[in-house]
């Protein structure tokens, strides 16, 4: 988590990115990120359910860039969960896109702050940096993709990243 924060701060502060862009399988990078976060989820009594397509989900990205996006989405989901909550991580492929969705059954995001969740330094978590989702949106945009939030007052939030399929 500290490494992710330091890398994220460096990327956001400098704006300079010297990544090696390559063709990556979003399924494999997502699986690795889930494995990294799973112990933190288990400490909260949470479970992570994964769904992946059979075929490769190829997108152009640097490994660091894609990992930052995915880890921030999953990390936010873990932080929002009640005891014994569940996170669904799903990758889908269409003719044009690769879509990664992270859905939690946490408290949801109230209407009055929903528009602010991607703002730099905005956080509802005690001690939160407000960097995670701002960085995720910036990196997703750099990859030619979009990030969407689906939430409401009440349980559940879904964050989805859509990237051009290669």
């Amino acid at each position: 988590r500290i490494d992710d924060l330091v890398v994220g701060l460096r990327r956001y502060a400098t704006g300079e990115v010297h990544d090696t862009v390559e063709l990556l399988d979003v399924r494999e990078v997502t699986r690795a990120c889930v494995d990294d976060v799973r112990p933190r989820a288990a400490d909260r009594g949470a479970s992570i359910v994964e769904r992946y397509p059979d075929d490769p989900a190829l997108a152009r990205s640097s490994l660091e860039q894609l990992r930052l996006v995915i880890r921030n989405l999953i990390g936010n989901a873990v932080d929002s969960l009640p005891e014994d909550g569940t996170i669904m991580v799903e990758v889908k492929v269409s003719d044009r896109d690769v879509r990664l969705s992270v859905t939690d059954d946490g408290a949801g995001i109230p209407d009055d702050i929903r528009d602010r969740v991607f703002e730099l330094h905005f956080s509802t978590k005690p001690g939160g940096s407000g960097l995670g989702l701002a960085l995720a949106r910036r990196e997703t945009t750099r990859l030619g993709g979009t990030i969407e939030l689906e939430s409401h007052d009440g349980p559940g939030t879904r964050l989805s990243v859509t990237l051009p399929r290669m």
Side-chain angles (χ1 to χ4, degrees), residues 37-101:
V37 175
R38 195 177 301 280
R40 199 167 119 213
D43 287 346
R44 297 180 63 98
S47 60
I48 301 176
V49 178
E50 301 169 80
R51 292 188 185 148
Y52 302 104
D54 293 331
D55 296 328
L58 300 176
R60 285 205 174 282
S61 176
S62 74
L63 183 57
E64 182 178 89
Q65 198 172 17
L66 191 54
R67 283 176 51 138
L68 279 172
V69 171
I70 296 168
R71 280 186 171 180
N72 277 307
L73 297 185
I74 298 171
N76 271 5
V78 169
D79 292 342
S80 73
L81 287 178
E83 189 83 16
D84 299 325
T86 302
I87 299 170
M88 168 65 72
V89 176
E90 185 172 25
V91 175
K92 292 183 177 180
V93 178
S94 72
D95 289 342
R96 299 175 65 175
D97 303 311
V98 174
R99 185 174 177 98
L100 164 69
S101 297

Side-chain angles (χ1 to χ4, degrees), residues 145-156:
T146 59
I147 187 168
E148 298 173 30
L149 169 72
E150 297 172 50
S151 188
H152 53 284
D153 288 327

